[in-house]
Amino acid sequence: MPVYKVLIFTKISELQEFLAQIRANKKSIGFVPTMGALHPGHISLINTSKIVCNVTICSIFVNPTQFNDKNDLERYPKTPQIDIDLLKNAGCDAVFMPSAEEMYPVKDETLFDFGYLDKILEGKHRPGHFNGVAIVVSKFFNIVKPDQAFFGGKDYQQVMIIKALTKKLDLNIKIVVCPTLREKDGLAMSSRNTLLNAKEREVAKIIPKLMNQVLPLKEKGMQIEEIKAHIVSELNKRGNYELDYFAICDTETLKELNSFSEAKHHIALIACYVGKIRLIDNLLLS
Ligand code: AMP
C-alpha cells in the first residue's frame, strides 16, 4: 500500500501560510474536522474530499467546549500516532492538530441560538453541546476557509446545526454529508466504540438491530407511539442500557412526529448509554 506524506500543523499561522500557497495556485480545499481516534468512517470523509477537492485538510481536536460531561472529555480516546499513519495511508495532504491554548487563547463565550434545533434530542440531553460545536466549527471555518467541508450523516442533528451555522455566518462553504460507515454487525463506527468492553460491545449491536426494525414496522402500518413502545420494551429486556431518546422526526426540520402523516420524509434517531458509553445512531425511513 503506498504511504504518502502528510504535513502536520499545530499552529494556526503555519497552517494558514500553507493554505495561502494552495489558494494562490487556485486549488480547492476540502476540510474534514474530527476529534481523532480515527476509524474507517472518518477515512471515508477524507476519501470523499479527495475525490472532489484538490487538497484535503483534516483537523484533530478534542474540543473541550462541546463536552457537557467532564468524565466523557477525560476518557475520550486519543491515538495521535495511529491517526497520522491512517491519514498518510489515506493520502490526506495535511493535518491540523492544535492545542487547546492555540484554539482558545482567551475563553470563548460566544452564544449561538439555533432556535428549536439546538434544544431537542442531542441539544436537550447534552446542554451546551451544540454551542460548543458551533464555536469550534466557526473557528475552524474561519482558519481554514475551505471550499467544501465533509461531515458524517451519523451526526444528523450536528449536520443540520452546521448548515444553519454557515447560513447564519454567510459562509461560502459547501457542506457535504457522507453516509454512516458501520461495523459488520451494523453498529455505527464511532471512536467511542473502543471504550466498550467485550460484553458491552456485544450488547451494543442491538442498537442497529432495533433501528432496522423501524422501517418494516412502519410499512406494516404501525403508528409511531407503538413503534416507540416496541423499541423501549426490547431495550428493557436486555439491561445494561439507558435510553436517552428514541424519536421519529421530520428529516427537513427535525420536529418530532406523533404521526407519519405530519411529514413527507421521516428519520428515526436514537441515543443510549451502554454501560457508561453514550452511543447515537439514526436511520432515514423514507
Ligand atoms: P468525530 O471525530 O466523532 O467528531 O467525527 C468527525 C466526523 O466524522 C463527523 O462529521 C462525524 O459525523 C463523522 N463520522 C463519525 N463516525 C462516522 C461513521 N461511522 N461514518 C461516517 N462518518 C462518521
Side-chain angles (χ1 to χ4, degrees):
M1 186 191 279
V3 175
Y4 303 93
K5 237 178 80 183
V6 60
L7 297 169
I8 301 172
F9 296 97
T10 55
K11 299 285 176 219
I12 295 170
S13 57
E14 290 169 6
L15 174 68
Q16 287 185 321
E17 247 174 66
F18 166 71
L19 292 171
Q21 290 168 23
I22 306 290
R23 260 182 232 107
N25 290 326
K26 303 258 177 289
K27 298 216 162 130
S28 59
I29 296 170
F31 178 49
V32 180
T34 80
M35 295 204 298
L38 301 182
H39 53 66
H42 295 115
I43 300 303
S44 73
L45 306 188
I46 302 283
N47 292 339
T48 308
S49 170
K50 279 179 62 70
I51 292 168
V52 291
C53 293
N54 299 123
V55 174
T56 294
I57 317 290
C58 174
S59 65
I60 295 180
F61 181 60
V62 183
N63 174 37
T65 66
Q66 72 188 66
F67 283 81
N68 57 319
D69 173 354
K70 229 178 116 217
N71 292 328
D72 188 25
L73 173 61
E74 272 162 20
R75 69 174 162 239
Y76 199 84
K78 293 166 194 83
T79 56
Q81 196 47 57
I82 298 172
D83 292 349
I84 290 169
D85 289 343
L86 286 170
L87 291 173
K88 270 187 197 165
N89 281 329
C92 184
D93 297 285
V95 55
F96 180 43
M97 306 170 86
S99 64
E101 294 71 33
E102 182 73 5
M103 287 302 284
Y104 299 112
V106 287
K107 200 170 172 200
D108 194 322
E109 312 212 61
T110 311
L111 283 179
F112 287 91
D113 187 354
F114 297 99
Y116 169 79
L117 197 54
D118 64 19
K119 312 218 172 27
I120 51 159
L121 306 172
E122 290 299 289
K124 182 169 167 196
H125 290 270
R126 302 182 68 190
H129 169 65
F130 285 127
N131 200 63
V133 169
I135 287 176
V136 80
V137 172
S138 56
K139 283 171 90 73
F140 276 136
F141 280 178
N142 192 37
I143 294 166
V144 178
K145 297 188 175 57
D147 297 282
Q148 304 195 36
F150 300 81
F151 292 86
K154 188 186 82 120
D155 297 276
Y156 191 87
Q157 191 176 5
Q158 171 171 281
V159 168
M160 291 186 71
I161 293 277
I162 304 292
K163 285 183 173 171
L165 176 75
T166 46
K167 240 188 188 165
K168 201 185 261 293
L169 301 179
D170 298 312
L171 299 174
N172 188 18
I173 298 171
K174 183 175 175 197
I175 304 302
V176 181
V177 188
C178 304
T180 301
L181 256 70
R182 297 178 178 278
E183 302 289 353
K184 276 204 184 90
D185 61 7
L187 184 65
M189 288 181 180
S190 164
S191 306
R192 286 191 168 88
N193 291 353
T194 59
L195 301 173
L196 298 166
N197 65 32
K199 224 171 155 186
E200 290 166 343
R201 175 63 188 80
E202 185 56 28
V203 288
K205 67 182 184 196
I206 187 69
I207 299 172
K209 219 172 153 191
L210 288 178
M211 293 298 273
N212 282 326
Q213 292 176 6
V214 177
L215 186 55
L217 292 176
K218 178 195 164 197
E219 285 170 348
K220 266 192 201 159
M222 223 191 228
Q223 290 308 303
I224 289 180
E225 275 318 306
E226 295 171 282
I227 295 176
K228 273 189 184 173
H230 169 78
I231 301 284
V232 170
S233 100
E234 286 299 306
L235 280 177
N236 286 343
K237 278 186 207 160
R238 264 79 182 186
N240 208 16
Y241 273 95
E242 201 189 313
L243 184 66
D244 257 1
Y245 61 80
F246 170 81
I248 295 180
C249 297
D250 181 337
T251 53
E252 292 290 312
T253 61
L254 222 54
K255 288 253 188 229
E256 190 164 352
L257 303 173
N258 296 308
S259 152
F260 286 112
S261 62
E262 289 169 22
K264 205 164 164 201
H265 300 292
H266 315 115
I267 181 169
L269 304 108
I270 192 167
C272 74
Y273 282 89
V274 179
K276 286 195 166 72
I277 309 307
R278 190 172 184 279
L279 301 174
I280 61 170
D281 202 353
N282 66 67
L283 203 68
L284 290 167
L285 302 177
S286 57

